[in-house]
Amino acid sequence: MKTTPFDLTGRRALVTGSSRGIGQALAGGLAAAGASLVLHGFDAERLERTHEAFAERFGPDRVDAVAFDITDEDSVAQGIAHIEEDLGELDILINNAGIQHRVPLLDLAVEDWNRVISTDLTSAFLVGREVARRMLPRARGKIINIGSVQSDLARPTIGAYTAAKGGLRNLTRAMTAEWAGAGLQVNAVAPGYIHTEMTQALVDDPEFNSWICKRTPAGRWGTVQDLMGPVQWLASDASAYVNGQTIFIDGGMTAVV
């Protein structure tokens, strides 16, 4: 029995790219709210380590893991079919997996541009579409795309990433336009600069760290814990009339000049 509209007991969530970093933290937040998890990663060994740790933390009956290529249409179709047919129906999808590639646009190879767009944008379309095929007949489901402050801003050397995250914001709107009438809620969260193992080098750079703290009204880097609550809310019944929105979780960075 649910005690609050934020309770995710009885819901099953797939979080792509959840073997480490932000995805792992978001998966943990959903599980803490009661959800069962399907962890995902491309590195099978790292995924298995995360699976074992989560099974110990939340119980083996509440945690599964799958490894498939989110950029390959056939691999996505097979992966989602396996989850739905062998593990159980998905109620929540978090499109989190992504990569970064720092090169000035004039020097950016087309293959690297395509790799970033494929991983950060096309994958959300492929996985989202395949999951929606199952959610739509059930007339319920939550899809949450993980954007970035670069969904709305730009910085030098990350042009492909910026284009992908900007596209993800409008993909969220497109999914809403087509699927909201059938009972799905599709939204996005756009994290600011979050302190993780993958951003540690930037945190350790005194000049960049100083710029972030001065540029952000909150005066600090974000943490993965700052992202958990908003994602739990969007995944829950508490956000039942929220659709097509991108929620910026950035300490105020995009609100000021």
Side-chain angles (χ1 to χ4, degrees):
M1 180 178 177
K2 295 183 184 300
T3 57
T4 78
F6 300 94
D7 188 355
L8 298 178
T9 301
R11 309 285 173 85
R12 179 172 285 100
L14 167 63
V15 185
T16 67
S18 48
S19 62
R20 65 174 178 173
I22 288 174
Q24 185 181 101
L26 295 181
L30 294 176
S36 296
L37 297 176
V38 182
L39 301 169
H40 164 272
F42 191 65
D43 183 327
E45 191 172 307
R46 185 167 60 208
L47 177 62
E48 182 54 31
R49 289 197 298 269
T50 303
H51 184 195
E52 290 175 358
F54 271 58
E56 183 175 347
R57 181 178 171 191
F58 298 109
D61 58 328
R62 288 182 55 203
V63 185
D64 293 292
V66 295
F68 60 86
D69 183 353
I70 57 171
T71 68
D72 180 82
E73 185 175 7
D74 290 339
S75 182
V76 168
Q78 292 168 13
I80 299 304
H82 165 61
I83 294 170
E84 287 269 337
E85 294 166 15
D86 300 329
L87 305 180
E89 296 178 354
L90 286 171
D91 304 287
I92 302 159
L93 166 65
I94 313 293
N95 276 317
N96 165 78
I99 59 172
Q100 180 62 281
H101 187 76
R102 300 179 186 276
V103 176
L105 284 172
L106 291 179
D107 301 321
L108 181 61
V110 171
E111 55 265 31
D112 289 324
W113 166 275
N114 288 337
R115 181 170 56 89
V116 173
I117 296 295
S118 177
T119 305
D120 293 4
L121 176 58
T122 306
S123 69
F125 159 66
L126 292 175
V127 180
R129 180 178 65 174
E130 205 60 38
V131 170
R133 292 189 200 279
R134 274 81 174 180
M135 288 180 170
L136 288 168
R138 300 193 286 259
R140 58 181 172 78
K142 301 274 193 169
I143 297 176
I144 303 168
N145 298 320
I146 307 302
S148 164
V149 286
Q150 268 71 47
S151 295
D152 205 41
L153 302 175
R155 279 183 56 79
T157 76
I158 57 171
Y161 182 85
T162 300
K165 293 302 185 179
L168 193 62
R169 187 176 191 181
N170 265 357
L171 176 63
T172 300
R173 290 168 169 153
M175 288 175 167
T176 295
E178 297 197 17
W179 301 338
L184 273 62
Q185 282 88 56
V186 186
N187 293 285
V189 297
Y193 284 84
I194 306 298
H195 186 177
T196 69
E197 61 187 271
M198 289 174 279
T199 59
Q200 187 62 51
L202 297 176
V203 175
D204 292 338
D205 181 330
E207 183 178 355
F208 192 84
N209 182 64
S210 177
W211 179 82
I212 289 294
C213 292
K214 291 177 181 177
R215 177 66 179 79
T216 306
R220 65 173 177 86
W221 287 73
T223 68
V224 292
Q225 287 75 24
D226 291 322
L227 304 177
M228 289 181 186
V231 169
Q232 289 169 334
W233 169 62
L234 288 174
S236 75
D237 292 341
S239 61
Y241 199 53
V242 180
N243 232 320
Q245 302 304 304
T246 294
I247 312 299
F248 284 82
I249 307 167
D250 62 1
M253 176 177 277
T254 53
V256 299
V257 175

